[in-house]
């Protein structure tokens, strides 16, 4: 969940670019934003984009595995894969997309002022936000979990951590809700707050804490990058849904994006979508069953 969500304020800070760099190395970069053309009343964004010849997407560059610069400086991640799928579906060319890099607080303003056509930036669906933008169907269910060292840890899994009661210390990035979040899963655990993601990672590696609370997507990505070093304790909580967002009032554009996403999850582009899930999260998606569509069963 991203940093503008309550009660999940600053959650993405639990695993940001700093910790990613500490774990595997990486670089950050900026792309020059360009304004999208304002929407003509009565004409769908879908038609404007096709006439323009490129899709303009608002996203970020500092939150693996969603959107970040890899070691070669290329912008990559699950959100980037989805944006390129939209471009491919529009133009039969995944490169016809312009990325506008922005902070979390710019996501809604960039949409309502037509600076971007769509935001694909790990955006959590909330009722408050749904009054300002229109969300697509969700493409990921996020939550928090507990990361353990794979070798030499005092406690092997969540059940062992919970059984140890106040004898365990759980670390995380400092914010006002950290103790509340941790105590939802481990009511008796001690809580250690760190000033940066790097510091929390160092504490876990040095065994000064028993586990680190992280977004589950970030945990899965880090376990992909450092096989055998870390393990998921096996318990997740505080669920929230990620979706893309578009400017309200354009059902044609929203319906088209939803069609692309749905058929990526259930139909013609499933192989592409499944490959992204495998690459970024280590998740093997089951192939949708043929016959009657299970989503309507």
């Amino acid at each position: 969940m991203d940093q503008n969500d309550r009660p999940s304020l600053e959650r993405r800070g639990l695993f940001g670019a700093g910790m990613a760099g500490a774990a595997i190395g990486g670089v950050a970069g900026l792309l020059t934003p360009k304004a999208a053309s304002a929407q003509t009343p009565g004409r769908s964004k879908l038609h404007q984009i096709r006439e323009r010849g490129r899709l303009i997407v608002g996203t970020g560059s500092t939150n693996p595995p969603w959107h970040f610069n890899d070691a070669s400086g290329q912008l990559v991640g699950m959100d980037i894969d989805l944006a390129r799928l939209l471009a491919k579906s529009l133009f039969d060319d995944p490169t016809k997309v312009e990325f506008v890099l922005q902070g979390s607080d710019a996501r809604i303003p960039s949409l309502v002022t037509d600076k971007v056509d769509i935001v694909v930036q790990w955006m959590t669906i909330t009722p408050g936000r749904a009054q300002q933008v229109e969300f697509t169907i969700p493409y990921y269910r996020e939550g928090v979990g507990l990361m353990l060292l794979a070798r030499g840890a005092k406690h092997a899994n969540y059940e062992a951590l919970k059984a140890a009661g106040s004898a365990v210390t759980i670390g995380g990035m400092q914010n006002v809700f950290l103790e509340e979040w941790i105590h939802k899963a481990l009511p008796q655990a001690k809580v250690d707050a760190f000033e940066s993601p790097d510091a929390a990672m160092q504490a876990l590696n040095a065994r000064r804490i028993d586990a680190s609370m992280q977004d589950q997507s970030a945990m899965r990505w880090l376990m992909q990058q450092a096989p055998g070093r870390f393990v998921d304790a096996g318990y997740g909580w505080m669920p929230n849904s990620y979706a893309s967002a578009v400017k309200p009032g354009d059902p044609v554009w929203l319906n088209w994006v939803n069609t692309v996403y749905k058929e990526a999850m259930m139909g013609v582009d499933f192989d592409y979508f499944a490959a992204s899930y495998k690459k970024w999260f280590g998740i093997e998606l089951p192939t949708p069953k043929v016959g009657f569509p299970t989503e309507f069963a």
Side-chain angles (χ1 to χ4, degrees):
M1 182 182 292
D2 59 80
Q3 62 183 358
N4 290 308
D5 303 317
R6 197 192 187 293
S8 311
L9 185 66
E10 304 292 342
R11 180 191 284 184
R12 287 305 306 185
L14 298 175
F15 192 99
M19 186 181 293
I24 63 168
V27 296
L30 288 176
L31 302 179
T32 303
K34 298 179 182 177
S37 58
Q39 182 173 334
T40 303
R43 295 190 67 230
S44 172
K45 179 76 73 176
L46 175 62
H47 305 124
Q48 296 177 51
I49 295 166
R50 288 191 56 82
E51 290 173 4
R52 185 198 302 140
R54 74 187 188 284
L55 175 68
I56 303 179
V57 175
T59 193
S61 63
T62 58
N63 293 283
W66 296 102
H67 40 259
F68 66 104
N69 291 94
D70 65 14
S72 67
Q74 291 292 111
L75 188 63
V76 297
M78 184 70 196
D79 284 338
I80 308 308
D81 286 353
L82 287 172
R84 294 198 183 281
L85 176 62
L86 292 172
K88 179 180 180 296
S89 301
L90 281 163
F91 306 110
D92 199 27
D93 186 346
T95 69
K96 288 189 175 183
V97 55
E98 176 183 338
F99 292 105
V100 175
L101 302 190
Q102 58 189 13
S104 301
D105 57 352
R107 290 175 299 190
I108 292 176
S110 71
L111 276 177
V112 300
T113 59
D114 287 306
K115 289 183 179 179
V116 300
D117 301 317
I118 187 170
V119 167
V120 189
Q121 193 175 356
W122 51 268
M123 194 169 182
T124 300
I125 299 174
T126 70
R129 287 176 175 171
Q131 297 177 55
Q132 303 174 75
V133 300
E134 292 188 3
F135 285 107
T136 66
I137 58 175
Y139 53 80
Y140 190 81
R141 182 64 38 76
E142 185 63 282
V144 295
L146 298 164
M147 180 180 289
L148 301 167
L149 290 175
R151 300 183 182 89
K154 296 179 184 177
H155 310 285
N157 51 38
Y158 169 72
E159 288 75 16
L161 289 168
K162 190 171 184 180
S166 60
V168 300
T169 300
I170 310 300
M173 179 68 182
Q174 184 174 7
N175 66 72
V176 295
F177 301 111
L178 183 61
E179 287 198 24
E180 176 187 341
W181 298 342
I182 290 174
H183 287 157
K184 284 178 180 290
L186 298 170
Q188 298 179 331
K190 296 184 181 70
V191 176
D192 200 350
F194 295 90
E195 73 280 2
S196 71
D198 285 348
M201 177 64 73
Q202 291 166 8
L204 180 62
N205 282 322
R207 296 177 172 81
R208 295 196 303 271
I209 57 177
D210 297 292
S212 178
M213 188 182 75
Q214 308 288 347
D215 278 356
Q216 292 198 335
S217 61
M219 289 169 53
R220 291 179 175 130
W221 177 78
L222 184 53
M223 288 188 289
Q224 288 280 98
Q225 305 309 303
R229 188 184 304 178
F230 306 107
V231 64
D232 184 346
Y235 178 73
W237 71 104
M238 293 179 63
N240 59 102
S241 300
Y242 287 171
S244 298
V246 299
K247 185 177 179 179
D250 191 345
V252 172
W253 175 226
L254 177 62
N255 181 67
W256 184 85
V257 175
N258 277 336
T259 298
V260 174
Y261 281 2
K262 181 179 177 183
E263 294 313 305
M265 288 185 269
M266 303 296 296
V268 293
D269 286 308
F270 174 76
D271 288 347
Y272 179 95
F273 191 80
S276 290
Y277 255 62
K278 175 64 176 177
K279 180 176 182 178
W280 303 119
F281 312 126
I283 296 174
E284 294 273 6
L285 294 179
T287 301
K289 292 182 179 181
V290 299
F292 188 81
T294 56
E295 62 267 36
F296 299 118

